[in-house]
Amino acid sequence: MAVRPLAEGPVHGPLQGPAALRRPPGLGGRSPKVLVSALALCWLLPLMLGALHLQVLTLVVALLAIGSLVRVGGGLVDRLMVSGLLLSGALMAFGLVASVWPWRLDPLPAGGVLLSVIALAGWYGDRRPRFPLRLRWSDGIIAGTGLVVWHFVHRGVTGRLGDGMMMVGDRFSHFAIFESIGRIGGYLFLHQAAGQVSTIGNAAGVYPQGSHFLFAWVDVFVRSSTVPLSTPQSLSRYFTYVLLAFVLLCVCVVWATRWVAGPRLAGWRTGAVCAVSACLVLAEPLPELLREGFDSEIVGLAFVAVSVALLLRPAMGQTEYALVAAAGLVTVAYSYNIYVVFVALPIAAGLLLFRRRQRGHRVALLVWLAAAGAVALLPSAISVFSHFDVGQQSVANGMVIHFDRATVIGLGLAVILASLVSLSRPTATQVLVLVAAVGTVAVLGVFAAWQIHRSGTVSYYFEKLALAAFVVFLTSLGSVGGLLRPLARRGRSAPLPRRLQEPLLAVGVGAAALSLFAGFQWGIPSVGRTSAQWRLSSLVSWSTERQGNQLAEGTRTFMARDMARSTAPVITLYRGSGSLNWQTAYLAQALLRRNGMMTEFGALCKVDMGSSYISGPRYRQSLEQLRLLVHGLPSRPTILVGNKRLSEQIDHDLNGGGVNTAKVLFAPLIHYPPAAAAPPK
């Protein structure tokens, strides 16, 4: 089987594929004076920006500097995507050093070192800065997807700080990790003793922290300061970063689909592929990630989309290929480590497919990939050696996103069949797509068999892998576009000129995709006047819901009034539900930076009292669980009770006879009217 050349369009760099690392051209023309001047500027610039409290511009300069030195993609959006991946990988890997050096996350030395490394790389490679400004019309679809998603997610949270929709599910733990990294100044797996104070369980040692670290370090650059903020302020900023990350996830998936399609897919076919990808992004299941609080998964999937796309169509020089592969491994492994297998698949396939081209230089590439893999797997290795039971965790249960698996199956079949049809004269990208798609199916099958063998059914982490498979297949959907036929040149009988046919056909395909995949009905009423499927989607319902849940009022009440008069540990009895009391207490500990105490709070789930006065067996049973909880805590707790008479009764029963067991405070819920949560018109 003959494989067509790797490059499917203009390829920048000394080679057209991942062949060997080659001595860069013009090496003898390097000037030490240029290097010294560049290094001086690399330190002078952060100093000036720090004096102006604009250190965030250091990251902008680094992004543009990386983009001007790499030679991947001939358009502005393509170059920004690649440089964003490389910068994120550099920040996460450099975080290992920043976590232990004396300055920790200080933006001045970090910015100076980061810019210096970029300058040294450009000087050694003898590359002059060159940044493409060319835009493609399909960039509008990519940017439009981001604007639409931002409209809905931003509209859904305006004026809703403390809403239960903001702090749900895993978001409690994610915020605690983010806040702890910013306060301690590094990865928690390198500072486990300090991290365990403010995170629950063994999260400081075993949970992937790349997304939290990236948010925390970016926040330091944005604020131009390492001084910790109050936890309510930090909470608001963290949630803003989560929203932006979700928007970027949607943008990255649509861009990745176009990148895999390649420059040969032009005209209405590019619009069709991008439109279908955008509609699948707007529909389920990705918006559910935001609602359920799967924040690190959002970041991990964004890096999966960009990394897999670049590795499936590696139209770049060898140096860029090595850097992209390393950045993909690091960013995905640090953000959500179980997803790294989906990046390893195209890397392994590329090593086999291009083995002849790499002859004589293969060792250098393998050593580089081995070093990148070691850095990528370091946090996971630390968690395994800290007595983390991987086998038991692999069959754990948890909150899952219920989405139609038919979508994943359909996308996978479409990608595999399109690749098989093209095998008569395949390109390297089509071969890589086929290997990645079949490998993804194999990963899902093997893991499902393992879970069924261990527990009798598939569970939490299988659903996580299925969602990553959805993103991989959606990214690979660009290869299906090659089966679409371009419009014929204008004939005598053509009713419209081609310059009008192309955009009209692209718009028509986009409209059809919105109806087929996103449930948009274009104003046509549903049968029985029921809500259209688009109106019921997670993205739209997020933006239209105005009533906060019961957890929202407890969250707001604690931040607005009770946080100032409480010391950890805090037991919140705002409601008559033990589960709600536990969740509010969890957030209270996070805001007080003492989430490590939550390992002792299991009994609180059985304390079903707080909002109204109760007596008899129900009260005695809850009081007994409360007493067990209080005696198991390391220090005297603050107990916030939503009913005045009940608070007096609990105070009497716990602190009677001169025993000072707990500080019991009357703390009625502050009820917020729904209108206060509605966004301004």
Side-chain angles (χ1 to χ4, degrees):
M1 179 180 66
V3 179
R4 277 185 280 168
L6 175 66
E8 298 182 347
V11 179
H12 303 272
L15 299 175
Q16 292 190 348
L21 293 169
R22 184 176 288 182
R23 187 180 180 90
L27 199 59
R30 295 174 301 176
S31 170
K33 294 181 179 180
V34 172
L35 177 62
V36 172
S37 301
L39 292 178
L41 182 61
C42 289
W43 286 93
L44 181 61
L45 182 63
L47 279 171
M48 296 172 57
L49 293 176
L52 298 173
H53 300 286
L54 294 174
Q55 287 282 22
V56 67
L57 295 182
T58 303
L59 294 180
V60 176
V61 172
L63 180 71
L64 297 178
I66 293 174
S68 68
L69 295 178
V70 298
R71 302 293 185 257
V72 185
L76 175 63
V77 176
D78 296 341
R79 191 64 62 86
L80 288 176
M81 285 291 180
V82 176
S83 58
L85 174 68
L86 296 180
L87 177 60
S88 299
L91 289 173
M92 289 184 182
F94 183 34
L96 296 173
V97 177
S99 297
V100 296
W101 73 355
W103 306 280
R104 297 298 171 91
L105 302 184
D106 192 323
L108 175 57
V113 171
L114 181 64
L115 294 178
S116 297
V117 170
I118 297 172
L120 280 169
W123 177 80
Y124 177 77
D126 197 15
R127 293 193 177 185
R128 295 183 178 181
R130 189 173 68 223
F131 204 95
L133 300 178
R134 185 172 69 89
L135 294 174
R136 299 173 61 183
W137 71 267
S138 54
D139 292 336
I141 301 178
I142 298 173
T145 302
L147 291 175
V148 170
V149 174
W150 176 252
H151 165 74
F152 283 110
V153 299
H154 181 261
R155 179 185 176 192
V157 297
T158 303
R160 294 164 70 177
L161 178 63
D163 196 320
M165 190 173 293
M166 173 181 173
M167 296 301 296
V168 295
D170 288 351
R171 192 155 289 139
F172 293 121
S173 300
H174 293 308
F175 168 68
I177 296 173
F178 161 82
E179 204 276 337
S180 300
I181 288 175
R183 178 171 45 85
I184 295 172
Y187 285 115
L188 300 187
F189 60 81
L190 298 177
H191 302 280
Q192 295 189 31
Q196 287 173 353
V197 174
S198 50
T199 58
I200 191 170
N202 58 355
V206 304
Y207 197 85
Q209 300 161 17
S211 59
H212 316 89
F213 181 85
L214 198 59
F215 288 164
W217 211 353
V218 168
D219 186 58
V220 168
F221 276 93
V222 171
R223 296 188 293 112
S224 298
S225 173
T226 57
V227 177
L229 298 172
S230 67
T231 44
Q233 290 176 310
S234 184
L235 174 63
S236 178
R237 300 179 72 87
Y238 170 74
F239 192 54
T240 300
Y241 296 136
V242 171
L243 294 181
L244 292 173
F246 179 73
V247 174
L248 285 176
L249 166 62
C250 299
V251 169
C252 288
V253 171
V254 180
W255 172 84
T257 306
R258 190 188 71 176
W259 175 266
V260 172
R264 288 188 176 183
L265 196 71
W268 77 272
R269 297 181 298 163
T270 302
V273 168
C274 292
V276 170
S277 178
C279 293
L280 287 170
V281 161
L282 295 175
E284 312 298 342
L286 293 185
E288 279 293 312
L289 292 169
L290 190 61
R291 178 183 292 274
E292 298 300 336
F294 295 163
D295 300 345
S296 57
E297 196 172 352
I298 289 173
V299 178
L301 289 174
F303 287 129
V304 166
V306 176
S307 303
V308 169
L310 290 169
L311 294 169
L312 291 181
R313 192 174 74 85
M316 61 192 77
Q318 179 53 49
T319 301
E320 284 81 358
Y321 179 82
L323 291 174
V324 164
L329 289 171
V330 170
T331 53
V332 175
Y334 278 48
S335 299
Y336 212 75
N337 51 8
I338 64 172
Y339 289 165
V340 75
V341 63
F342 298 109
V343 179
L345 281 173
I347 291 177
L351 290 174
L352 292 174
L353 185 62
F354 306 116
R355 59 186 182 278
R356 293 182 180 178
R357 197 174 300 173
Q358 298 164 2
R359 186 177 301 166
H361 309 276
R362 192 175 179 82
V363 174
L365 180 60
L366 290 175
V367 169
W368 171 260
L369 292 177
V375 173
L377 296 179
L378 178 62
S380 300
I382 291 176
S383 67
V384 171
F385 288 114
S386 62
H387 309 290
F388 179 62
D389 192 339
V390 178
Q392 184 64 32
Q393 185 67 25
S394 67
V395 294
N397 291 315
M399 171 67 70
V400 298
I401 294 177
H402 299 283
F403 67 100
D404 192 357
R405 289 178 182 168
T407 305
V408 180
I409 296 172
L411 283 173
L413 287 174
V415 170
I416 292 174
L417 291 176
S419 300
L420 290 175
V421 168
S422 305
L423 284 184
S424 59
R425 194 168 178 262
T427 63
T429 292
Q430 289 163 340
V431 175
L432 289 172
V433 166
L434 179 61
V435 173
V438 173
T440 298
V441 173
V443 168
L444 291 178
V446 170
F447 191 76
W450 162 260
Q451 285 197 327
I452 292 173
H453 172 73
R454 287 289 302 265
S455 61
T457 184
V458 295
S459 57
Y460 182 66
Y461 284 106
F462 175 81
E463 303 298 340
K464 299 283 190 182
L465 290 175
L467 191 58
F470 169 79
V471 171
V472 172
F473 291 148
L474 189 53
T475 297
S476 305
L477 190 65
S479 63
V480 180
L483 300 181
L484 302 175
R485 297 183 62 182
L487 291 179
R489 294 185 178 276
R490 182 184 177 186
R492 295 180 180 179
S493 60
L496 292 173
R498 184 168 179 171
R499 65 176 179 271
L500 293 180
Q501 289 181 8
E502 293 278 2
L504 285 177
L505 189 54
V507 171
V509 171
L514 276 174
S515 297
L516 288 171
F517 304 116
F520 199 80
Q521 296 186 188
W522 306 100
I524 300 175
S526 302
V527 176
R529 299 287 179 176
T530 58
S531 296
Q533 191 65 32
W534 169 251
R535 294 290 181 184
L536 298 176
S537 66
S538 298
L539 189 63
V540 177
S541 61
W542 168 280
S543 67
T544 56
E545 290 179 3
R546 298 289 177 263
Q547 180 69 45
N549 60 27
Q550 292 180 324
L551 180 60
E553 290 186 328
T555 302
R556 288 181 165 184
T557 298
F558 183 78
M559 288 195 297
R561 184 194 61 209
D562 296 330
M563 184 177 173
R565 57 177 185 158
S566 302
T567 55
V570 174
I571 300 173
T572 55
L573 301 180
Y574 290 135
R575 296 280 186 181
S577 166
S579 61
L580 283 174
N581 289 334
W582 187 92
Q583 291 180 69
T584 311
Y586 193 173
L587 176 60
Q589 258 58 233
L591 292 171
L592 295 173
R593 303 186 176 104
R594 289 295 183 273
N595 251 356
M597 296 180 175
M598 288 304 297
T599 55
E600 311 292 337
F601 272 55
L604 186 56
C605 293
K606 301 178 181 178
V607 182
D608 296 318
M609 61 179 180
S611 57
S612 60
Y613 182 76
I614 62 173
S615 59
R618 180 184 171 190
Y619 171 75
R620 289 193 296 271
Q621 182 179 1
S622 294
L623 180 66
E624 181 62 25
Q625 294 295 327
L626 183 61
R627 185 176 281 113
L628 289 174
L629 171 60
V630 169
H631 287 299
L633 293 174
S635 58
R636 178 171 175 259
T638 301
I639 303 178
L640 305 171
V641 186
N643 180 272
K644 183 173 179 60
R645 184 180 175 189
L646 183 63
S647 68
E648 295 172 349
Q649 184 67 43
I650 294 175
D651 190 20
H652 176 270
D653 292 340
L654 289 181
N655 298 325
V659 178
N660 193 11
T661 303
K663 180 172 69 172
V664 182
L665 301 175
F666 170 50
L669 276 174
I670 301 175
H671 295 285
Y672 293 86
K681 296 183 179 180

PDB file of all heavy atoms in Angstrom, residues 45 101 129 266 297 326 428 439 471 521 547 637:
ATOM      1  N   LEU A  45      11.852  43.498  30.028  1.00  0.00           N
ATOM      2  CA  LEU A  45      10.418  43.581  29.756  1.00  0.00           C
ATOM      3  C   LEU A  45       9.569  43.164  30.957  1.00  0.00           C
ATOM      4  O   LEU A  45       8.641  43.897  31.345  1.00  0.00           O
ATOM      5  CB  LEU A  45      10.080  42.734  28.523  1.00  0.00           C
ATOM      6  CG  LEU A  45       8.620  42.763  28.072  1.00  0.00           C
ATOM      7  CD1 LEU A  45       8.220  44.168  27.642  1.00  0.00           C
ATOM      8  CD2 LEU A  45       8.399  41.776  26.920  1.00  0.00           C
ATOM      9  N   TRP A 101      11.791  26.199  43.646  1.00  0.00           N
ATOM     10  CA  TRP A 101      12.805  27.245  43.742  1.00  0.00           C
ATOM     11  C   TRP A 101      12.309  28.353  44.686  1.00  0.00           C
ATOM     12  O   TRP A 101      11.128  28.408  45.037  1.00  0.00           O
ATOM     13  CB  TRP A 101      13.203  27.766  42.357  1.00  0.00           C
ATOM     14  CG  TRP A 101      12.185  28.636  41.637  1.00  0.00           C
ATOM     15  CD1 TRP A 101      10.920  28.948  42.026  1.00  0.00           C
ATOM     16  CD2 TRP A 101      12.389  29.296  40.384  1.00  0.00           C
ATOM     17  NE1 TRP A 101      10.320  29.766  41.106  1.00  0.00           N
ATOM     18  CE2 TRP A 101      11.191  29.997  40.098  1.00  0.00           C
ATOM     19  CE3 TRP A 101      13.448  29.381  39.495  1.00  0.00           C
ATOM     20  CZ2 TRP A 101      11.039  30.756  38.943  1.00  0.00           C
ATOM     21  CZ3 TRP A 101      13.289  30.139  38.349  1.00  0.00           C
ATOM     22  CH2 TRP A 101      12.101  30.812  38.081  1.00  0.00           C
ATOM     23  N   PRO A 129      12.015  35.954  13.624  1.00  0.00           N
ATOM     24  CA  PRO A 129      10.579  35.991  13.937  1.00  0.00           C
ATOM     25  C   PRO A 129       9.747  36.250  12.695  1.00  0.00           C
ATOM     26  O   PRO A 129      10.025  37.151  11.908  1.00  0.00           O
ATOM     27  CB  PRO A 129      10.470  37.149  14.940  1.00  0.00           C
ATOM     28  CG  PRO A 129      11.835  37.271  15.537  1.00  0.00           C
ATOM     29  CD  PRO A 129      12.787  36.918  14.434  1.00  0.00           C
ATOM     30  N   ALA A 266     -11.404  22.766   0.784  1.00  0.00           N
ATOM     31  CA  ALA A 266     -11.693  24.198   0.700  1.00  0.00           C
ATOM     32  C   ALA A 266     -13.148  24.409   0.322  1.00  0.00           C
ATOM     33  O   ALA A 266     -13.916  23.478   0.087  1.00  0.00           O
ATOM     34  CB  ALA A 266     -10.770  24.859  -0.324  1.00  0.00           C
ATOM     35  N   GLU A 297     -11.424  18.038  33.588  1.00  0.00           N
ATOM     36  CA  GLU A 297     -11.743  17.297  32.368  1.00  0.00           C
ATOM     37  C   GLU A 297     -11.952  18.249  31.192  1.00  0.00           C
ATOM     38  O   GLU A 297     -11.607  17.931  30.049  1.00  0.00           O
ATOM     39  CB  GLU A 297     -12.991  16.450  32.594  1.00  0.00           C
ATOM     40  CG  GLU A 297     -13.207  15.375  31.556  1.00  0.00           C
ATOM     41  CD  GLU A 297     -14.336  14.440  31.935  1.00  0.00           C
ATOM     42  OE1 GLU A 297     -14.855  14.533  33.067  1.00  0.00           O
ATOM     43  OE2 GLU A 297     -14.709  13.620  31.075  1.00  0.00           O
ATOM     44  N   ALA A 326       5.754  16.428  22.672  1.00  0.00           N
ATOM     45  CA  ALA A 326       6.086  16.583  24.085  1.00  0.00           C
ATOM     46  C   ALA A 326       5.036  17.422  24.811  1.00  0.00           C
ATOM     47  O   ALA A 326       4.587  17.067  25.914  1.00  0.00           O
ATOM     48  CB  ALA A 326       7.460  17.230  24.231  1.00  0.00           C
ATOM     49  N   ALA A 428      -0.908  10.055   4.547  1.00  0.00           N
ATOM     50  CA  ALA A 428      -0.428   9.689   5.874  1.00  0.00           C
ATOM     51  C   ALA A 428      -1.457  10.038   6.944  1.00  0.00           C
ATOM     52  O   ALA A 428      -1.647   9.294   7.909  1.00  0.00           O
ATOM     53  CB  ALA A 428       0.897  10.398   6.161  1.00  0.00           C
ATOM     54  N   GLY A 439      -7.607   2.303  17.443  1.00  0.00           N
ATOM     55  CA  GLY A 439      -6.981   2.228  18.760  1.00  0.00           C
ATOM     56  C   GLY A 439      -7.879   2.757  19.859  1.00  0.00           C
ATOM     57  O   GLY A 439      -7.916   2.199  20.970  1.00  0.00           O
ATOM     58  N   VAL A 471     -14.505  13.235  21.629  1.00  0.00           N
ATOM     59  CA  VAL A 471     -13.680  14.356  21.171  1.00  0.00           C
ATOM     60  C   VAL A 471     -12.690  13.894  20.107  1.00  0.00           C
ATOM     61  O   VAL A 471     -12.463  14.591  19.103  1.00  0.00           O
ATOM     62  CB  VAL A 471     -12.960  15.003  22.366  1.00  0.00           C
ATOM     63  CG1 VAL A 471     -11.935  16.031  21.896  1.00  0.00           C
ATOM     64  CG2 VAL A 471     -13.962  15.658  23.306  1.00  0.00           C
ATOM     65  N   GLN A 521     -35.016  24.477  15.732  1.00  0.00           N
ATOM     66  CA  GLN A 521     -36.218  24.327  14.914  1.00  0.00           C
ATOM     67  C   GLN A 521     -36.592  25.566  14.117  1.00  0.00           C
ATOM     68  O   GLN A 521     -37.638  25.581  13.461  1.00  0.00           O
ATOM     69  CB  GLN A 521     -37.401  23.903  15.794  1.00  0.00           C
ATOM     70  CG  GLN A 521     -37.212  22.548  16.410  1.00  0.00           C
ATOM     71  CD  GLN A 521     -38.418  22.047  17.159  1.00  0.00           C
ATOM     72  OE1 GLN A 521     -38.358  21.038  17.830  1.00  0.00           O
ATOM     73  NE2 GLN A 521     -39.532  22.757  17.080  1.00  0.00           N
ATOM     74  N   GLN A 547     -33.646  30.385  38.940  1.00  0.00           N
ATOM     75  CA  GLN A 547     -33.829  29.997  40.327  1.00  0.00           C
ATOM     76  C   GLN A 547     -32.634  29.182  40.787  1.00  0.00           C
ATOM     77  O   GLN A 547     -32.379  28.105  40.273  1.00  0.00           O
ATOM     78  CB  GLN A 547     -35.114  29.161  40.479  1.00  0.00           C
ATOM     79  CG  GLN A 547     -35.385  28.702  41.908  1.00  0.00           C
ATOM     80  CD  GLN A 547     -35.752  29.857  42.822  1.00  0.00           C
ATOM     81  OE1 GLN A 547     -36.539  30.713  42.469  1.00  0.00           O
ATOM     82  NE2 GLN A 547     -35.177  29.879  44.007  1.00  0.00           N
ATOM     83  N   PRO A 637     -15.395  23.267  67.073  1.00  0.00           N
ATOM     84  CA  PRO A 637     -16.007  23.747  65.837  1.00  0.00           C
ATOM     85  C   PRO A 637     -16.990  24.883  66.066  1.00  0.00           C
ATOM     86  O   PRO A 637     -17.443  25.147  67.182  1.00  0.00           O
ATOM     87  CB  PRO A 637     -16.734  22.505  65.329  1.00  0.00           C
ATOM     88  CG  PRO A 637     -17.163  21.814  66.585  1.00  0.00           C
ATOM     89  CD  PRO A 637     -16.069  22.067  67.592  1.00  0.00           C
TER      90      PRO A 637
END
